[in-house]
Amino acid sequence: VHKVTAPVMIVLGSEDKRVPNVNGIAYFEELRSHGVKTRLFIYPMDNHAIIKPPHVADMMINTALWYQQVEFS
């Protein structure tokens, strides 16, 4: 984590069976504590692959907004 400098957007499904949400949330908190610009989205009742149409639409919008807001070096 201490070597991460690029902005990070984390997307989690609340019902993910592959990767426990606690891992993604801990990573998010650790990045923030090191001053890395980061966003976290947790989609309720979705799995590892975000597939519910409203969540997919929201994720696409937030991804586009994220790329507009951040600068990658």
Side-chain angles (χ1 to χ4, degrees), residues 3-4 8 19 25 28-30 33 36-37 40-41 49 52-54 59 63 68-69 73:
K3 293 183 179 182
V4 177
V8 177
V19 181
I25 294 167
F28 167 76
E29 291 172 349
E30 191 69 17
S33 74
V36 177
K37 182 174 179 122
L40 172 65
F41 296 94
K52 295 187 183 298
M59 182 177 64
T63 300
Q68 287 180 343
Q69 294 171 4
S73 51

Side-chain angles (χ1 to χ4, degrees), residues 21-44:
N21 282 330
V22 67
N23 293 357
I25 294 167
Y27 187 56
F28 167 76
E29 291 172 349
E30 191 69 17
L31 289 170
R32 285 188 62 199
S33 74
H34 284 87
V36 177
K37 182 174 179 122
T38 184
R39 290 286 311 265
L40 172 65
F41 296 94
I42 302 175
Y43 292 99

